[in-house]
Amino acid sequence: MNLSDIFCQDKAVSSLRRAFETGRLAHAYIFDGNDGIGKFTTAKAFAKLLLCQRTDQSLTLMARNVDSCGKCESCRMLDADNH
């Protein structure tokens, strides 16, 4: 699951992406809301983006859609719940 797979949370996802793109990450994030709206899924997708081991070159190529690569060791481990 990547941030691009999250739906109906456009404001939250764009805020997380903007923080990552600008390098202005907070020391903590609170994912709050009703049960079943995707808090855990969004938090896991954001963690995957933060832990992704892709190179800066691939980040430039994906500048329009900042997301984890899904292919590096870190992404695969997170997808398998082994990170």
Side-chain angles (χ1 to χ4, degrees):
M1 176 73 56
N2 293 332
L3 284 175
S4 58
D5 299 327
I6 307 294
F7 61 97
C8 296
Q9 295 295 335
D10 298 335
K11 184 177 179 180
V13 169
S14 67
S15 177
L16 294 171
R17 280 187 172 150
R18 189 171 41 257
F20 180 79
E21 286 174 328
T22 61
R24 298 191 62 165
L25 297 167
H27 75 281
Y29 289 89
I30 296 175
F31 293 82
D32 186 34
N34 298 331
D35 289 343
I37 62 169
K39 297 178 301 284
F40 181 77
T41 304
T42 304
K44 189 174 176 182
F46 186 53
K48 188 175 174 183
L49 172 64
L50 295 175
L51 296 171
C52 185
Q53 299 169 337
R54 71 173 171 268
T55 63
D56 290 337
Q57 182 182 12
S58 63
L59 178 60
T60 304
L61 295 174
M62 295 174 21
R64 298 182 114 187
N65 187 21
V66 174
D67 222 336
S68 55
C69 72
K71 298 176 183 176
C72 69
E73 181 181 5
S74 182
C75 287
R76 289 181 308 200
M77 287 177 64
L78 210 136
D79 284 339
D81 293 327
N82 287 325
H83 208 298

